[in-house]
Amino acid sequence: MGGQVTILQTVQPILATLAQASLAASGGVAAQVWLTGPGDICAECPRRPDCPDQAACLHLATRAGDIEPASVPTSRLPLGSNPIGRVPGADEALVERDDLADLGIADAAWLRRSGIKAVATLPLRHGRRGRGVLVILAKSKPSDG
């Protein structure tokens, strides 16, 4: 576990830059970077009932923009169980326009207050392996293109 903390500290500035650049390029309100990591807090994780495999999950690595830290309900998301958790394995971008609170990336009240209308996700890959997800929250609904 200590090695993973060291790696995260090393890549943290890169992830923060990625989140900021994504916001600037997309016109989004907020961005999050979720990285695949060990199932380390399963006993107290509120998403455990949704988690098909406690060996690994998505860990919130950084966020940028106008997102209140308290509005992120959890720092872990199960792999494979919801639209965000399926992105690393599917290797496809995803745009969600409905039921945004069900994604688990932000509190429903904050999403409404902030006027978030869409969530766009991009898989983060290293070689052939899915390593995480870049999430962009936007006030406008993007076109299908």
Side-chain angles (χ1 to χ4, degrees), residues 31-103:
Q32 299 172 334
V33 177
W34 295 81
L35 297 179
T36 302
D40 59 345
I41 62 166
C42 297
E44 63 264 14
C45 182
R47 301 300 299 256
R48 184 172 184 178
D50 306 327
C51 190
D53 178 8
Q54 284 85 48
C57 59
L58 290 171
H59 296 230
L60 180 61
T62 193
R63 59 183 170 265
D66 295 330
I67 188 165
E68 303 160 3
S71 70
V72 180
T74 181
S75 61
R76 304 291 188 270
L77 288 174
L79 283 169
S81 70
N82 67 14
I84 302 294
R86 287 190 289 272
V87 169
D91 194 29
E92 293 181 7
L94 168 76
V95 176
E96 286 287 330
R97 296 175 184 92
D98 301 307
D99 302 321
L100 300 181
D102 293 341
L103 298 176

Side-chain angles (χ1 to χ4, degrees), residues 5 12-13 30 35 50 55 75 97 116 118 120 133 137 142:
V5 170
Q12 191 67 33
L35 297 179
D50 306 327
S75 61
R97 296 175 184 92
I116 303 299
V133 182
L137 298 95

Side-chain angles (χ1 to χ4, degrees), residues 9 18 31 50 56 70-72 86 88 122 125 134:
Q9 290 170 341
L18 172 65
D50 306 327
S71 70
V72 180
R86 287 190 289 272
L122 297 169
R125 302 198 57 79
L134 169 65

